[in-house]
Amino acid sequence: EPEVRAVGDMRASFRRLGAAAGATAVGVARVDIEPGCRPGPVHQHTSEEEIFFVLSGSGLAWNDGAVHEIGASVCLGHFTL
């Protein structure tokens, strides 16, 4: 079942696919973001990597202090060095 998060302009449903499949060391999720909203606050990780693949729609992504327009079929990676 999706976990719905709705606070202010943050509205999205999260499906934790990795946990449902029994994964313990890797997280895999599908996040459906409501139009005009965002999935969560702007943030940054210091010890984990994230890879995003945009299935449909468009929006903005923040990376290293810069904002980038993204759309369907874009794959983004945020990696720690």
Coordinates of all heavy atoms in Angstrom, one line a residue:
E1 N 0.8 -1.2 0.0 CA 0.0 0.0 0.0 C 0.9 1.3 0.0 O 1.9 1.3 0.7 CB -0.9 0.0 1.2 CG -2.0 -1.0 1.2 CD -3.0 -0.8 0.1 OE1 -3.5 0.3 -0.1 OE2 -3.3 -1.8 -0.6
P2 N 0.5 2.3 -0.7 CA 1.3 3.5 -0.7 C 1.2 4.3 0.6 O 0.1 4.2 1.3 CB 0.7 4.3 -1.9 CG -0.7 3.8 -2.1 CD -0.6 2.3 -1.6
E3 N 2.3 4.9 0.9 CA 2.3 5.8 2.1 C 2.1 7.2 1.5 O 2.9 7.7 0.8 CB 3.6 5.7 2.9 CG 3.8 6.7 4.0 CD 5.2 6.7 4.5 OE1 6.0 5.8 4.2 OE2 5.6 7.7 5.1
V4 N 1.0 7.9 1.9 CA 0.8 9.2 1.4 C 1.3 10.3 2.4 O 1.1 10.2 3.6 CB -0.7 9.5 1.2 CG1 -1.0 10.9 0.7 CG2 -1.3 8.5 0.2
R5 N 2.1 11.2 1.8 CA 2.7 12.3 2.6 C 2.1 13.6 2.1 O 2.3 13.9 0.9 CB 4.2 12.3 2.6 CG 4.8 11.1 3.1 CD 6.3 11.2 3.0 NE 6.9 9.9 3.4 CZ 8.2 9.6 3.2 NH1 9.0 10.5 2.7 NH2 8.7 8.4 3.5
A6 N 1.4 14.4 2.9 CA 0.8 15.6 2.5 C 1.0 16.7 3.6 O 0.3 16.6 4.6 CB -0.7 15.4 2.2
V7 N 2.0 17.6 3.3 CA 2.2 18.7 4.3 C 2.5 19.9 3.4 O 3.5 19.9 2.7 CB 3.4 18.4 5.2 CG1 3.7 19.6 6.1 CG2 3.2 17.1 6.0
G8 N 1.7 20.9 3.5 CA 1.9 22.1 2.7 C 2.0 21.8 1.2 O 1.1 21.2 0.7
D9 N 3.1 22.2 0.5 CA 3.2 21.9 -0.9 C 3.9 20.6 -1.2 O 4.2 20.3 -2.3 CB 3.9 23.1 -1.6 CG 5.4 23.2 -1.2 OD1 5.8 22.7 -0.2 OD2 6.1 23.9 -1.9
M10 N 4.1 19.8 -0.1 CA 4.7 18.5 -0.3 C 3.5 17.4 -0.3 O 2.9 17.2 0.7 CB 5.7 18.2 0.8 CG 6.9 19.1 0.7 SD 8.0 18.8 2.1 CE 7.2 19.5 3.5
R11 N 3.3 16.8 -1.5 CA 2.2 15.8 -1.6 C 2.7 14.7 -2.6 O 2.9 15.0 -3.7 CB 0.9 16.5 -2.1 CG 0.2 17.3 -1.2 CD -1.2 17.7 -1.7 NE -2.0 18.4 -0.8 CZ -1.9 19.6 -0.3 NH1 -0.9 20.3 -0.8 NH2 -2.7 20.1 0.6
A12 N 2.8 13.6 -2.0 CA 3.3 12.4 -2.8 C 2.9 11.1 -2.2 O 2.7 11.1 -1.0 CB 4.8 12.5 -3.0
S13 N 2.8 10.1 -3.0 CA 2.6 8.7 -2.4 C 3.8 7.9 -2.7 O 4.4 8.0 -3.8 CB 1.3 8.1 -3.0 OG 1.5 7.9 -4.4
F14 N 4.3 7.2 -1.7 CA 5.5 6.4 -1.7 C 5.2 4.9 -1.6 O 4.4 4.5 -0.7 CB 6.4 6.8 -0.5 CG 7.0 8.2 -0.6 CD1 6.2 9.2 -0.3 CD2 8.3 8.4 -0.9 CE1 6.7 10.5 -0.4 CE2 8.8 9.7 -1.0 CZ 8.0 10.7 -0.7
R15 N 5.7 4.1 -2.6 CA 5.5 2.7 -2.5 C 6.9 2.1 -2.3 O 7.8 2.3 -3.2 CB 4.9 2.2 -3.8 CG 3.5 2.5 -4.0 CD 2.9 2.0 -5.3 NE 1.5 2.3 -5.5 CZ 1.0 3.5 -5.9 NH1 1.9 4.5 -6.2 NH2 -0.3 3.7 -6.0
R16 N 7.2 1.5 -1.2 CA 8.5 0.9 -0.9 C 8.6 -0.5 -1.5 O 8.3 -1.5 -0.9 CB 8.7 0.9 0.6 CG 8.6 2.3 1.2 CD 9.1 2.4 2.6 NE 9.0 3.7 3.2 CZ 9.8 4.7 2.9 NH1 10.9 4.4 2.2 NH2 9.7 5.9 3.4
L17 N 9.1 -0.5 -2.7 CA 9.2 -1.7 -3.5 C 10.3 -2.6 -3.0 O 10.1 -3.9 -2.9 CB 9.4 -1.4 -5.0 CG 8.4 -0.5 -5.6 CD1 8.8 -0.2 -7.0 CD2 7.0 -1.1 -5.5
G18 N 11.4 -2.1 -2.6 CA 12.5 -2.9 -2.0 C 12.1 -3.6 -0.8 O 12.3 -4.8 -0.7
A19 N 11.5 -2.9 0.1 CA 11.0 -3.6 1.4 C 10.0 -4.7 1.1 O 10.0 -5.8 1.7 CB 10.5 -2.5 2.3
A20 N 9.1 -4.4 0.2 CA 8.1 -5.4 -0.2 C 8.7 -6.7 -0.8 O 8.2 -7.8 -0.6 CB 7.1 -4.8 -1.2
A21 N 9.9 -6.5 -1.4 CA 10.5 -7.6 -2.0 C 11.5 -8.3 -1.1 O 12.1 -9.3 -1.4 CB 11.3 -7.2 -3.3
G22 N 11.7 -7.7 0.1 CA 12.5 -8.3 1.1 C 13.9 -7.8 1.1 O 14.8 -8.3 1.9
A23 N 14.2 -6.7 0.4 CA 15.5 -6.1 0.4 C 15.8 -5.5 1.8 O 15.0 -4.8 2.4 CB 15.6 -5.0 -0.7
T24 N 17.1 -5.6 2.2 CA 17.5 -5.1 3.5 C 18.6 -4.1 3.4 O 18.8 -3.3 4.3 CB 17.9 -6.2 4.5 OG1 19.0 -6.9 3.9 CG2 16.7 -7.1 4.8
A25 N 19.4 -4.1 2.3 CA 20.5 -3.2 2.2 C 20.3 -2.1 1.2 O 21.1 -1.2 1.1 CB 21.8 -4.0 1.9
V26 N 19.3 -2.2 0.3 CA 19.0 -1.3 -0.7 C 17.6 -0.9 -0.7 O 16.7 -1.7 -0.5 CB 19.3 -1.9 -2.1 CG1 18.9 -1.0 -3.3 CG2 20.8 -2.3 -2.2
G27 N 17.3 0.4 -0.8 CA 15.9 0.9 -0.9 C 15.5 1.1 -2.3 O 16.3 1.7 -3.1
V28 N 14.4 0.7 -2.7 CA 13.8 1.0 -4.0 C 12.4 1.4 -3.8 O 11.6 0.8 -3.1 CB 13.8 -0.3 -4.9 CG1 13.1 0.0 -6.3 CG2 15.2 -0.8 -5.1
A29 N 12.0 2.6 -4.4 CA 10.7 3.1 -4.1 C 10.1 3.7 -5.4 O 10.9 4.2 -6.3 CB 10.7 4.2 -3.0
R30 N 8.8 3.7 -5.5 CA 8.1 4.5 -6.6 C 7.4 5.6 -5.9 O 6.7 5.4 -4.9 CB 7.1 3.6 -7.3 CG 6.4 4.5 -8.4 CD 5.4 3.7 -9.2 NE 4.7 4.6 -10.0 CZ 4.2 4.4 -11.2 NH1 4.5 3.2 -11.7 NH2 3.6 5.3 -11.9
V31 N 7.7 6.8 -6.4 CA 7.1 8.0 -5.7 C 6.3 8.7 -6.8 O 6.8 9.1 -7.8 CB 8.2 9.0 -5.2 CG1 7.6 10.2 -4.6 CG2 9.1 8.2 -4.2
D32 N 5.0 8.9 -6.5 CA 4.1 9.6 -7.4 C 3.8 10.9 -6.8 O 3.3 11.0 -5.7 CB 2.8 8.8 -7.6 CG 3.0 7.5 -8.3 OD1 3.5 7.6 -9.4 OD2 2.6 6.5 -7.8
I33 N 4.2 12.0 -7.4 CA 4.2 13.4 -6.9 C 2.9 14.1 -7.5 O 2.8 14.0 -8.7 CB 5.4 14.1 -7.2 CG1 6.7 13.4 -6.7 CG2 5.4 15.5 -6.6 CD1 8.0 13.8 -7.3
E34 N 2.1 14.7 -6.7 CA 1.0 15.4 -7.2 C 1.4 16.6 -8.0 O 2.4 17.2 -7.7 CB 0.1 15.9 -6.0 CG -0.5 14.9 -5.2 CD -1.6 14.1 -5.9 OE1 -2.3 14.7 -6.7 OE2 -1.7 12.9 -5.7
P35 N 0.7 16.9 -9.1 CA 1.0 18.0 -10.0 C 1.2 19.3 -9.2 O 0.4 19.6 -8.3 CB -0.1 18.1 -11.0 CG -0.7 16.8 -11.0 CD -0.5 16.2 -9.6
G36 N 2.3 20.1 -9.5 CA 2.5 21.4 -8.8 C 3.1 21.2 -7.4 O 3.3 22.2 -6.7
C37 N 3.3 20.0 -6.9 CA 3.8 19.8 -5.6 C 5.2 19.2 -5.6 O 5.8 19.0 -6.7 CB 2.9 18.8 -4.8 SG 1.3 19.5 -4.6
R38 N 5.8 18.9 -4.5 CA 7.1 18.3 -4.4 C 7.0 17.1 -3.4 O 6.1 17.1 -2.6 CB 8.2 19.3 -4.0 CG 7.9 20.2 -2.9 CD 8.9 21.3 -2.8 NE 8.5 22.0 -1.6 CZ 9.4 22.2 -0.6 NH1 10.6 21.8 -0.7 NH2 9.0 22.9 0.5
P39 N 8.0 16.2 -3.5 CA 7.9 15.0 -2.7 C 8.3 15.2 -1.2 O 8.0 14.5 -0.3 CB 8.8 14.0 -3.4 CG 9.8 14.8 -4.1 CD 9.0 16.1 -4.5
G40 N 9.2 16.2 -1.0 CA 9.7 16.5 0.3 C 10.5 17.8 0.3 O 10.6 18.4 -0.7
P41 N 11.1 18.1 1.4 CA 11.9 19.3 1.5 C 13.2 19.2 0.7 O 13.7 18.1 0.6 CB 12.1 19.5 3.0 CG 12.1 18.1 3.6 CD 11.1 17.4 2.7
V42 N 13.8 20.3 0.3 CA 15.1 20.3 -0.3 C 16.1 19.8 0.8 O 16.0 20.2 1.9 CB 15.5 21.7 -0.8 CG1 16.9 21.7 -1.2 CG2 14.6 22.2 -1.9
H43 N 16.9 18.8 0.4 CA 17.8 18.2 1.4 C 19.0 17.7 0.7 O 19.1 17.6 -0.5 CB 17.1 17.2 2.2 CG 16.7 16.0 1.4 ND1 15.6 16.0 0.6 CD2 17.3 14.8 1.3 CE1 15.5 14.8 0.0 NE2 16.5 14.0 0.4
Q44 N 20.0 17.2 1.5 CA 21.2 16.6 0.9 C 21.6 15.5 1.8 O 21.5 15.6 3.0 CB 22.2 17.8 0.8 CG 23.6 17.5 0.6 CD 24.4 18.7 0.4 OE1 23.9 19.8 0.4 NE2 25.7 18.6 0.3
H45 N 22.2 14.4 1.2 CA 22.7 13.3 2.0 C 24.2 13.3 2.0 O 24.8 13.7 1.0 CB 22.2 12.0 1.4 CG 20.7 11.8 1.4 ND1 20.1 11.4 2.5 CD2 19.8 12.0 0.4 CE1 18.8 11.3 2.2 NE2 18.6 11.7 1.0
T46 N 24.8 12.9 3.1 CA 26.3 12.9 3.1 C 26.8 11.4 3.0 O 28.0 11.3 2.7 CB 26.8 13.5 4.4 OG1 26.2 12.8 5.5 CG2 26.5 15.0 4.5
S47 N 26.0 10.4 3.1 CA 26.5 9.1 3.1 C 25.6 8.1 2.3 O 25.7 6.9 2.5 CB 26.7 8.6 4.6 OG 25.4 8.5 5.2
E48 N 24.8 8.6 1.5 CA 24.0 7.6 0.6 C 23.9 8.2 -0.8 O 23.9 9.4 -1.0 CB 22.6 7.3 1.2 CG 21.9 8.3 1.9 CD 20.5 7.9 2.4 OE1 20.4 7.0 3.3 OE2 19.5 8.4 1.9
E49 N 23.7 7.3 -1.7 CA 23.5 7.6 -3.1 C 22.1 7.5 -3.4 O 21.4 6.6 -2.9 CB 24.4 6.7 -4.0 CG 25.8 7.0 -3.9 CD 26.6 6.4 -2.8 OE1 26.1 5.4 -2.2 OE2 27.6 7.0 -2.3
E50 N 21.6 8.3 -4.4 CA 20.2 8.2 -4.9 C 20.2 8.2 -6.4 O 21.0 9.0 -7.0 CB 19.4 9.3 -4.3 CG 19.1 9.2 -2.9 CD 18.2 10.3 -2.4 OE1 18.5 11.5 -2.6 OE2 17.2 10.0 -1.8
I51 N 19.4 7.4 -7.0 CA 19.2 7.5 -8.5 C 17.7 7.6 -8.7 O 16.9 6.9 -8.1 CB 19.8 6.2 -9.1 CG1 21.3 6.0 -8.9 CG2 19.5 6.2 -10.6 CD1 21.8 4.7 -9.3
F52 N 17.4 8.5 -9.6 CA 16.0 8.8 -9.9 C 15.8 8.6 -11.4 O 16.6 9.1 -12.2 CB 15.6 10.3 -9.6 CG 15.8 10.6 -8.1 CD1 17.0 11.1 -7.7 CD2 14.8 10.5 -7.2 CE1 17.2 11.5 -6.4 CE2 15.0 10.9 -5.9 CZ 16.2 11.3 -5.5
F53 N 14.7 8.0 -11.8 CA 14.3 7.9 -13.2 C 12.9 8.5 -13.3 O 12.0 8.0 -12.6 CB 14.3 6.4 -13.7 CG 14.0 6.3 -15.1 CD1 15.1 6.6 -16.0 CD2 12.8 6.0 -15.6 CE1 14.8 6.6 -17.4 CE2 12.6 6.0 -17.0 CZ 13.6 6.2 -17.9
V54 N 12.7 9.5 -14.1 CA 11.4 10.2 -14.2 C 10.6 9.4 -15.3 O 11.0 9.3 -16.4 CB 11.6 11.6 -14.7 CG1 10.3 12.4 -14.8 CG2 12.6 12.4 -13.7
L55 N 9.5 8.9 -14.8 CA 8.6 8.1 -15.7 C 7.7 9.0 -16.6 O 7.5 8.7 -17.8 CB 7.7 7.2 -14.9 CG 8.4 6.1 -14.1 CD1 7.4 5.3 -13.2 CD2 9.2 5.1 -15.0
S56 N 7.2 10.1 -16.0 CA 6.4 11.0 -16.8 C 6.3 12.3 -16.0 O 6.7 12.4 -14.9 CB 4.9 10.4 -16.9 OG 4.3 10.4 -15.7
G57 N 5.9 13.3 -16.7 CA 5.8 14.7 -16.2 C 7.0 15.5 -16.3 O 8.0 15.1 -17.0
S58 N 7.1 16.6 -15.6 CA 8.3 17.4 -15.6 C 8.4 18.1 -14.2 O 7.4 18.1 -13.5 CB 8.2 18.4 -16.7 OG 7.1 19.3 -16.5
G59 N 9.5 18.7 -14.0 CA 9.7 19.4 -12.7 C 11.1 20.0 -12.6 O 11.8 20.1 -13.6
L60 N 11.5 20.3 -11.4 CA 12.8 20.8 -11.1 C 13.6 19.9 -10.2 O 13.0 19.4 -9.2 CB 12.6 22.2 -10.5 CG 11.9 23.3 -11.3 CD1 11.7 24.5 -10.5 CD2 12.6 23.6 -12.6
A61 N 14.9 19.8 -10.4 CA 15.7 19.1 -9.5 C 16.8 20.0 -9.0 O 17.4 20.8 -9.7 CB 16.3 17.9 -10.2
W62 N 17.2 19.8 -7.7 CA 18.2 20.6 -7.1 C 19.4 19.8 -6.9 O 19.3 18.7 -6.3 CB 17.7 21.2 -5.8 CG 18.7 22.0 -5.0 CD1 19.1 23.3 -5.4 CD2 19.5 21.7 -3.9 NE1 20.0 23.8 -4.5 CE2 20.3 22.8 -3.5 CE3 19.5 20.5 -3.1 CZ2 21.1 22.8 -2.4 CZ3 20.4 20.5 -2.0 CH2 21.1 21.6 -1.7
N63 N 20.6 20.2 -7.4 CA 21.8 19.4 -7.3 C 23.0 20.3 -7.2 O 23.2 21.2 -8.1 CB 22.0 18.5 -8.5 CG 23.1 17.5 -8.4 OD1 23.4 17.1 -7.2 ND2 23.7 17.0 -9.5
D64 N 23.8 20.2 -6.2 CA 25.0 21.0 -5.9 C 24.7 22.5 -6.0 O 25.4 23.3 -6.6 CB 26.1 20.7 -6.9 CG 26.7 19.3 -6.6 OD1 26.7 18.9 -5.4 OD2 27.2 18.7 -7.6
G65 N 23.5 22.9 -5.4 CA 23.2 24.3 -5.3 C 22.6 24.9 -6.6 O 22.3 26.1 -6.7
A66 N 22.4 24.1 -7.6 CA 21.8 24.6 -8.9 C 20.5 23.8 -9.1 O 20.3 22.7 -8.8 CB 22.8 24.3 -10.1
V67 N 19.6 24.5 -9.8 CA 18.3 24.0 -10.1 C 18.3 23.6 -11.6 O 18.7 24.4 -12.5 CB 17.1 25.0 -9.8 CG1 15.8 24.5 -10.3 CG2 17.1 25.3 -8.4
H68 N 17.7 22.4 -11.9 CA 17.7 21.9 -13.3 C 16.3 21.5 -13.7 O 15.6 20.8 -12.9 CB 18.7 20.7 -13.4 CG 20.1 21.0 -13.0 ND1 21.0 21.5 -13.8 CD2 20.6 20.8 -11.8 CE1 22.1 21.6 -13.1 NE2 21.9 21.2 -11.9
E69 N 15.9 21.8 -14.9 CA 14.6 21.3 -15.4 C 14.8 19.9 -15.8 O 15.7 19.5 -16.4 CB 14.1 22.2 -16.6 CG 13.7 23.6 -16.2 CD 13.1 24.3 -17.3 OE1 12.4 23.7 -18.1 OE2 13.4 25.6 -17.4
I70 N 13.8 19.0 -15.4 CA 13.8 17.6 -15.8 C 12.5 17.2 -16.4 O 11.5 17.9 -16.1 CB 14.2 16.7 -14.6 CG1 13.2 16.9 -13.4 CG2 15.6 17.0 -14.1 CD1 13.4 15.9 -12.3
G71 N 12.5 16.1 -17.1 CA 11.2 15.6 -17.6 C 11.3 14.1 -17.8 O 12.3 13.4 -17.4
A72 N 10.3 13.6 -18.5 CA 10.2 12.1 -18.7 C 11.4 11.5 -19.4 O 12.0 12.2 -20.2 CB 9.0 11.8 -19.6
S73 N 11.8 10.4 -18.9 CA 13.0 9.6 -19.4 C 14.3 10.1 -18.9 O 15.3 9.7 -19.3 CB 13.0 9.4 -20.9 OG 11.8 8.8 -21.3
V74 N 14.3 11.1 -18.0 CA 15.6 11.6 -17.4 C 16.0 10.7 -16.3 O 15.1 10.3 -15.5 CB 15.4 13.1 -17.0 CG1 16.6 13.5 -16.1 CG2 15.3 14.0 -18.2
C75 N 17.2 10.4 -16.2 CA 17.8 9.7 -15.1 C 18.8 10.6 -14.4 O 19.7 11.2 -15.0 CB 18.5 8.4 -15.6 SG 19.1 7.4 -14.3
L76 N 18.7 10.8 -13.1 CA 19.6 11.6 -12.3 C 20.3 10.7 -11.2 O 19.6 9.8 -10.7 CB 18.8 12.7 -11.5 CG 17.7 13.4 -12.0 CD1 16.9 14.0 -10.9 CD2 18.3 14.6 -12.8
G77 N 21.5 11.1 -11.0 CA 22.2 10.4 -9.9 C 22.8 11.4 -9.0 O 23.4 12.4 -9.4
H78 N 22.7 11.1 -7.7 CA 23.3 11.9 -6.6 C 24.2 11.0 -5.9 O 23.7 10.0 -5.2 CB 22.2 12.5 -5.7 CG 21.2 13.4 -6.3 ND1 21.6 14.7 -6.6 CD2 20.0 13.3 -6.8 CE1 20.5 15.3 -7.2 NE2 19.6 14.4 -7.3
F79 N 25.5 11.3 -6.0 CA 26.5 10.4 -5.4 C 27.4 11.1 -4.4 O 27.7 12.2 -4.6 CB 27.3 9.7 -6.5 CG 26.5 9.0 -7.5 CD1 26.2 9.6 -8.7 CD2 26.1 7.7 -7.3 CE1 25.4 8.9 -9.6 CE2 25.3 7.0 -8.2 CZ 25.0 7.6 -9.4
T80 N 27.8 10.4 -3.4 CA 28.8 10.9 -2.4 C 30.2 10.5 -2.9 O 30.4 9.4 -3.4 CB 28.5 10.4 -1.0 OG1 28.5 9.0 -1.0 CG2 27.2 10.9 -0.5
L81 N 31.1 11.4 -2.7 CA 32.5 11.1 -3.1 C 33.4 10.8 -1.9 O 33.2 11.3 -0.8 CB 33.1 12.2 -3.9 CG 32.3 12.6 -5.2 CD1 32.8 13.8 -5.8 CD2 32.4 11.4 -6.2

